[in-house]
Amino acid sequence: MMRSLAGRLDLCSINTATLGHREPIGRIVDAVAAAGFGGIAPWRRDLAGNGAGRVARRIADAGLRVSGLCRSTFMPAAGRAEFARRLDDNRRALDEAALLGADAFVIVAGSLVPGSRDLAGARGQVAEATACLLDHARASDVRLALEPLHPMYAADRSCLNTLAQALDLAETLEPEAASPRLGVAVDAYHVWWDPDLPPSLARAGASGRLFAFHVCDWLVPTRDFLTDRGMMGDGVIDLAALRRMTEEAGYDGLVEVEIFSALDWWRRPAEETLRVAAERLQSVC
Amino acid sequence: MMRSLAGRLDLCSINTATLGHREPIGRIVDAVAAAGFGGIAPWRRDLAGNGAGRVARRIADAGLRVSGLCRSTFMPAAGRAEFARRLDDNRRALDEAALLGADAFVIVAGSLVPGSRDLAGARGQVAEATACLLDHARASDVRLALEPLHPMYAADRSCLNTLAQALDLAETLEPEAASPRLGVAVDAYHVWWDPDLPPSLARAGASGRLFAFHVCDWLVPTRDFLTDRGMMGDGVIDLAALRRMTEEAGYDGLVEVEIFSALDWWRRPAEETLRVAAERLQSVC
């Protein structure tokens, strides 16, 4: 059963990337709360220099829930020392997610080490690093959300590229968990094209691994590989159908707006972007 | 068992798009033959105005095999009249492929009708149109190669986005064929990222549906969605591993070079592009 978002911005969250990281996190927290949203998803850069504890208090004082902390350092590395360094960095990030009380720590896996063509090797490193992080996540009481990225990012940002692939990894590393710590983040931009989406969503829901749901839109034409994502309703994704599938599969967390848009929304005042996102969440999502 | 391409350019073919469609097809045919390639894959635009029969003779006189004819008109349409018009156009293209003796007619399916978000509907139209074309292909003794395109083209160029999806369609429309007329074109650029590639290639080979194999490379960064593909060896795809998998699955046709490169190779003389392609086929593919 799909929830209605009309009048229910408390079910919605704003990923701070949507506002372009142009203003101090304190001001962004206040703006998101003032616009009526129920949650926020900060990036590690929002915490750096501010103290994660201080940001956590500011978010809590504003009455906001943390739908996720973005994101892992890319995992694959050219050598074991660098692999270990990245893993340590991700353990620290996970501790920050715990401090924030985040619904999940978002894992964007990384992919080919520069100069390498070994995609299978990168996937192997991601599996190894995720297994290590999972141990730390259990100790810290944090959930890890593997976010498969669109295959257009397979070379340089993530070697996890479909929901089924992310679920395969989760089920391999954490089989038959009653209350899994390793799940997935479903981002409309990354998965909308997938012909296997309906069975994959059902599978993720059945095993209790739907930890996050992100919305934005796919623009036609898309002018930039990374930063030309659209406001919900401005592109071609059937977001209402996707949310219905995700919620009927069992997702009951926040609906998080995450839009990378250097060409459009990052040039507008935060209040305008928040206002339009609120409208679109209630009308097209 | 993988073939060696060293000294075997007769096993290789040049898709005319690689040379940027800047010169008359007659000159391109001569240049491809003079460079030692065994085949060529023309586009319908190469035939338009020249007479398909005349081009077919020119190619045959040059001693070249036709590894494929590119490509279908996009199939999904806003209404039944337009759907029928596109289907008729594809039947005419199929007749041209027969005249050329092409190894396959390449189907790039098309996707969302402008203004629509109905991806499932587009996929349904593609299935219907392909079924109709298959009847015509049987009568014309032509093979149809469904080419799954990279998911970055899911909105506007093809709603067939994985090899498994294309095979599902082929097996649905033409189950248990001893000598299938409906198969797939495997293009490295479109499929290299796919975590299901090994089983999908094996499945395609086992059912005799590997009709074409295209190579180019994925550049990092990629600067344009359509026309910034790389020469083999200049990007991150492990082309030798991919060709090995494809040939071990049973592919024994030509290795076709298809590179869309407005920013680089289309600016160079055809002879230079052909010379470098020949070198790279023998050293990195």
Side-chain angles (χ1 to χ4, degrees):
Chain A
M1 173 81 181
M2 179 163 73
R3 302 169 294 185
S4 170
L5 298 182
R8 294 300 307 272
L9 288 183
D10 60 302
L11 297 177
C12 303
S13 175
I14 296 292
N15 185 297
T16 59
T18 305
L19 304 174
H21 293 292
R22 295 166 297 174
E23 298 178 276
I25 184 63
R27 203 190 96 59
I28 295 299
V29 168
D30 292 344
V32 168
F37 292 96
I40 193 167
W43 282 59
R44 292 188 76 195
R45 59 195 287 177
D46 296 318
L47 310 180
N50 294 301
R54 192 179 312 175
V55 175
R57 277 191 300 277
R58 181 83 179 241
I59 291 174
D61 288 348
L64 294 173
R65 176 170 157 189
V66 177
S67 56
L69 175 65
C70 288
R71 63 172 170 71
S72 64
T73 295
F74 293 163
M75 293 164 161
R80 294 305 295 179
E82 176 65 12
F83 179 85
R85 198 194 63 73
R86 287 163 184 251
L87 185 56
D88 276 344
D89 193 50
N90 282 327
R91 287 195 186 98
R92 283 192 294 275
L94 211 153
D95 293 338
E96 293 172 350
L99 199 60
L100 289 163
D103 291 343
F105 175 55
V106 176
I107 295 182
V108 174
S111 190
L112 295 174
V113 174
S116 164
R117 294 186 177 90
D118 186 6
L119 191 58
R123 287 169 172 161
Q125 287 199 46
V126 168
E128 181 186 350
T130 303
C132 297
L133 264 192
L134 181 56
D135 287 336
H136 196 69
R138 287 192 183 106
S140 315
D141 198 26
V142 170
R143 301 196 302 178
L144 303 179
L146 297 166
E147 180 168 1
L149 293 204
H150 194 285
M152 68 202 267
Y153 303 116
D156 49 358
R157 304 185 74 79
S158 178
C159 57
L160 297 183
N161 302 107
T162 66
L163 194 51
Q165 182 193 10
L167 288 168
D168 285 347
L169 178 57
E171 292 173 3
T172 299
L173 298 182
E174 189 188 32
E176 312 203 12
S179 184
R181 294 255 148 236
L182 184 56
V184 293
V186 175
D187 185 311
Y189 195 80
H190 298 306
V191 306
W192 74 277
W193 60 273
D194 186 350
D196 285 334
L197 195 55
S200 293
L201 283 171
R203 175 182 164 205
S207 58
R209 298 191 200 264
L210 285 171
F211 290 175
F213 179 62
H214 302 170
V215 292
C216 71
D217 215 333
W218 182 280
L219 299 177
V220 178
T222 297
R223 297 161 293 174
D224 184 89
F225 263 65
L226 187 59
T227 61
D228 193 27
R229 303 184 189 175
M231 178 61 69
M232 299 78 75
D234 290 345
V236 300
I237 305 177
D238 188 341
L239 288 163
L242 178 57
R243 185 165 71 85
R244 176 179 296 279
M245 266 195 290
T246 307
E247 297 191 0
E248 288 181 347
Y251 183 70
D252 60 3
L254 299 183
V255 177
E256 178 182 319
V257 178
E258 185 182 30
I259 307 175
F260 292 7
S261 173
L263 298 167
D264 187 351
W265 298 97
W266 291 355
R267 297 179 179 181
R268 307 200 198 191
E271 277 71 15
E272 180 182 349
T273 300
L274 292 170
R275 181 177 51 74
V276 178
E279 289 169 6
R280 300 295 178 83
L281 281 161
Q282 298 177 78
S283 58
V284 305
C285 288
Chain B
M1 173 84 179
M2 179 163 73
R3 302 168 295 185
S4 169
L5 298 183
R8 294 300 308 273
L9 287 184
D10 60 302
L11 296 177
C12 302
S13 175
I14 296 293
N15 185 298
T16 61
T18 305
L19 304 174
H21 293 294
R22 296 165 297 173
E23 299 177 278
I25 182 64
R27 204 190 97 58
I28 295 299
V29 168
D30 293 345
V32 168
F37 292 96
I40 193 167
W43 282 59
R44 292 189 75 195
R45 59 193 287 176
D46 296 318
L47 310 180
N50 295 300
R54 191 179 311 175
V55 174
R57 279 190 299 279
R58 181 83 179 243
I59 292 174
D61 289 348
L64 294 172
R65 177 170 155 189
V66 177
S67 56
L69 174 66
C70 287
R71 62 170 171 70
S72 64
T73 296
F74 293 162
M75 293 164 159
R80 294 306 294 179
E82 177 65 12
F83 180 84
R85 198 194 65 71
R86 286 162 183 252
L87 186 54
D88 276 345
D89 192 50
N90 282 326
R91 288 195 185 99
R92 283 191 294 275
L94 211 154
D95 293 338
E96 293 171 350
L99 199 61
L100 289 163
D103 291 344
F105 174 55
V106 176
I107 295 182
V108 174
S111 190
L112 295 173
V113 174
S116 163
R117 294 187 176 91
D118 185 6
L119 190 59
R123 287 170 172 159
Q125 287 200 45
V126 167
E128 181 186 350
T130 302
C132 297
L133 262 192
L134 181 57
D135 288 336
H136 196 67
R138 287 194 182 105
S140 314
D141 197 26
V142 169
R143 301 196 300 179
L144 302 179
L146 296 165
E147 181 168 0
L149 294 204
H150 194 286
M152 68 202 267
Y153 303 116
D156 48 358
R157 304 184 73 79
S158 178
C159 56
L160 297 183
N161 302 108
T162 67
L163 194 51
Q165 183 194 11
L167 287 169
D168 286 345
L169 178 57
E171 292 173 3
T172 299
L173 298 182
E174 189 189 32
E176 311 204 12
S179 184
R181 295 255 146 237
L182 184 57
V184 294
V186 175
D187 185 310
Y189 195 80
H190 299 306
V191 306
W192 73 277
W193 59 272
D194 185 351
D196 285 334
L197 195 56
S200 292
L201 283 172
R203 176 182 163 204
S207 58
R209 297 190 200 265
L210 286 171
F211 291 173
F213 179 62
H214 302 169
V215 292
C216 69
D217 214 333
W218 181 280
L219 299 177
V220 178
T222 297
R223 297 162 293 175
D224 184 88
F225 263 65
L226 187 60
T227 61
D228 193 27
R229 303 184 190 176
M231 178 61 70
M232 298 79 73
D234 290 345
V236 300
I237 305 177
D238 187 343
L239 288 164
L242 179 56
R243 185 165 72 84
R244 176 178 297 278
M245 267 195 288
T246 306
E247 296 191 1
E248 288 181 347
Y251 183 70
D252 60 3
L254 299 183
V255 177
E256 178 183 318
V257 178
E258 184 182 30
I259 307 174
F260 292 7
S261 172
L263 297 167
D264 188 351
W265 297 98
W266 292 354
R267 297 179 179 181
R268 307 199 199 191
E271 277 71 15
E272 180 183 350
T273 301
L274 291 170
R275 179 176 53 73
V276 178
E279 288 168 7
R280 300 296 178 82
L281 281 162
Q282 298 178 78
S283 58
V284 305
C285 287

